[in-house]
Amino acid sequence: RLASLAPEWSPPNANRSVLLAGLPPGRHRLEVRAVTGAARPGGELAAVAFEVLPPLWRRGWFLATAGLALAMGTWAAYRYRIGNLLAVERVRTRIASDLHDEVGASLSRIGILAEVGKLRLGDTKEEGTAEAGGLLSEIGETSRELSEEMSDIVWSLDPRRDDLPSLIARLRRFASDVLEARGVALDFSAPESAAAQRLSTGDRRELYLLLKEAIHNAARHSRASRVMVSLAVRGNVLLARVEDDGTGLPAAPGERSGHGLDSMRRRAGLLGGRLTIESAPGEGTLVRLEAPLSAWRRARFRRSA
């Protein structure tokens, strides 16, 4: 019998050898005794003690070495990821700075020169000045639109703006500029505890462009006298509303293509959120967005000052 594993004796047989296969690692004691023809024990008990060593991959020193190697590999991968994030953010910062300093300044200069040229043409009475003035007006308008779009690109690239407060501040400024220029009253509300919410670059951009489109539609197409914009955070969900008291969306779906609704729905899908649009002719429009801000969607890397 193998006393270390079972107390029972094996059936007697005439073999003078024993095969012990598949023994677990550890110390064992093999005991042997002889029996007579009547199957009664006789003679003294013979015993031998031995040890089965564990396989290499189960030995303590190997497990410790493997654990240390895994920890060092994990740390190296983490450092590599952090290094990549820092490198990407440095590139983003440089691109944003270059766009602002070079392209932005050039576009502003084009717009100013177009306005000056238009004023000078207005003082002359030569033939063809009206057409030239129209072209200069178009140049100025185009440069202003490009300057605004470039400003959005610079903002979306800037790594210092990867949070909800930056989104709220820019959205408030855009809504104020667009609506007040058209004599539309603005009610804007946002959570005071937004500073704790970090956003990834992609989510921040999609949220801004979606809500910007909703405000833009309310300003240009609704003929509203008041627009209400509100943002709230409930758990890990961002709740956003853009509501106006205007004429509402056209009853015929084919007449709504110019309002950018398809683009808004696409952006809501990219955010993993749900977009609801409620409207009726003469009763205003309500755009409601629910977008998750779960941990895996937030910016996990906090930049140093």
Side-chain angles (χ1 to χ4, degrees):
R1 67 181 180 181
L2 200 59
S4 57
L5 296 180
E8 298 83 8
W9 289 92
S10 65
N13 59 73
N15 294 333
R16 296 177 178 270
S17 62
V18 62
L19 178 63
L20 303 175
L23 291 180
R27 295 181 179 275
H28 300 282
R29 177 181 172 85
L30 176 65
E31 297 178 351
V32 182
R33 68 182 182 181
V35 295
T36 64
R40 292 194 300 268
E44 296 182 358
L45 182 71
V48 59
F50 61 94
E51 180 180 3
V52 177
L53 296 177
L56 179 67
W57 54 271
R58 290 185 57 184
R59 298 182 187 180
W61 66 267
F62 181 87
L63 294 176
T65 303
L68 180 61
L70 179 62
M72 293 180 64
T74 303
W75 173 249
Y78 174 76
R79 291 292 303 271
Y80 177 76
R81 179 175 179 271
I82 294 299
N84 282 345
L85 287 174
L86 287 171
V88 169
E89 294 204 357
R90 284 193 292 267
V91 171
R92 287 173 56 194
T93 302
R94 187 175 69 250
I95 292 174
S97 177
D98 291 345
L99 284 174
H100 181 271
D101 296 341
E102 302 295 336
V103 182
S106 298
L107 287 174
S108 298
R109 185 169 180 270
I110 291 173
I112 293 173
L113 292 176
E115 291 297 328
V116 172
K118 182 180 177 182
L119 292 175
R120 291 184 177 179
L121 284 175
D123 297 335
T124 64
K125 298 181 180 180
E126 297 180 3
E127 185 177 354
T129 55
E131 181 180 357
L135 292 175
L136 286 174
S137 297
E138 185 176 350
I139 291 173
E141 182 65 24
T142 302
S143 67
R144 283 189 292 271
E145 292 176 358
L146 287 175
S147 181
E148 181 181 348
E149 293 175 2
M150 191 214 59
S151 178
D152 290 342
I153 294 173
V154 170
W155 176 80
S156 65
L157 285 173
D158 194 342
R160 297 168 296 180
R161 305 291 183 259
D162 286 345
D163 51 43
L164 190 55
S166 296
L167 172 66
I168 292 173
R170 186 159 186 93
L171 197 64
R172 187 195 301 270
R173 187 177 67 179
F174 171 77
S176 177
D177 292 344
V178 171
L179 295 174
E180 291 182 2
R182 291 173 168 81
V184 180
L186 170 64
D187 291 337
F188 195 103
S189 62
E192 297 180 357
S193 59
Q197 296 291 338
R198 308 291 297 180
L199 297 175
S200 68
T201 304
D203 288 355
R204 176 168 59 91
R205 179 178 181 273
E206 298 299 337
L207 279 170
Y208 174 69
L209 293 178
L210 190 155
L211 297 175
K212 177 182 177 181
E213 180 68 25
I215 295 172
H216 184 271
N217 287 342
R220 298 192 62 179
H221 304 294
S222 69
R223 301 178 184 175
S225 61
R226 181 175 297 274
V227 173
M228 289 73 72
V229 180
S230 65
L231 290 93
V233 177
R234 184 181 302 166
N236 288 332
V237 177
L238 174 67
L239 306 176
R241 292 168 56 99
V242 178
E243 185 175 5
D244 65 70
D245 59 356
T247 58
L249 295 176
E255 300 178 10
R256 303 179 182 181
S257 59
H259 293 175
L261 301 184
D262 292 339
S263 174
M264 294 166 60
R265 292 190 179 95
R266 179 180 60 82
R267 296 187 189 282
L270 292 175
L271 290 166
R274 181 175 63 181
L275 181 70
T276 305
I277 301 175
E278 301 175 6
S279 181
E283 298 182 4
T285 302
L286 170 61
V287 177
R288 184 188 297 113
L289 172 67
E290 297 182 16
L293 297 176
S294 56
W296 67 271
R297 298 188 65 86
R298 293 180 192 163
R300 292 185 175 89
F301 177 68
R302 293 181 177 272
R303 293 166 299 279
S304 59

